[in-house]
Amino acid sequence: MVKIIYEGDDFKRMMRTDLQKLERLVDAKKFGIFEVNYKEGKIKVEIKKKGSDIVVKRWRAM
């Protein structure tokens, strides 16, 4: 059983339709950095596998 972990408060504030699009990426087992809709604009999120879990967090370039 795979557990999906959302890191950060950004995902709690996402609109339902935007979160569903993100969940489709996770369900398709796509890993990497993707640009998704967030309210009026777009943000980049990183989807990676950590052990048997999938971690989704906002990606910020340093």
Side-chain angles (χ1 to χ4, degrees), residues 31-56:
F31 300 111
I33 299 169
F34 299 97
E35 194 170 87
V36 295
N37 294 335
Y38 183 75
K39 295 185 181 180
E40 299 293 322
K42 293 185 179 270
I43 61 170
K44 290 187 178 182
V45 296
E46 180 180 16
I47 303 171
K48 63 182 177 179
K49 190 163 183 130
K50 190 179 225 182
S52 63
D53 300 335
I54 296 175
V55 178
V56 180

Side-chain angles (χ1 to χ4, degrees), residues 7-60:
E7 291 185 359
D9 292 334
D10 297 318
F11 302 106
K12 293 178 184 176
R13 293 189 294 254
M14 276 183 112
M15 296 182 131
R16 185 162 178 77
T17 55
D18 297 340
L19 190 59
Q20 287 175 341
K21 289 178 185 177
L22 179 60
E23 288 175 351
R24 282 191 212 119
L25 284 173
V26 173
D27 290 342
K29 299 197 184 341
K30 302 266 183 174
F31 300 111
I33 299 169
F34 299 97
E35 194 170 87
V36 295
N37 294 335
Y38 183 75
K39 295 185 181 180
E40 299 293 322
K42 293 185 179 270
I43 61 170
K44 290 187 178 182
V45 296
E46 180 180 16
I47 303 171
K48 63 182 177 179
K49 190 163 183 130
K50 190 179 225 182
S52 63
D53 300 335
I54 296 175
V55 178
V56 180
K57 66 180 183 176
R58 187 170 181 175
W59 186 78
R60 293 181 172 98

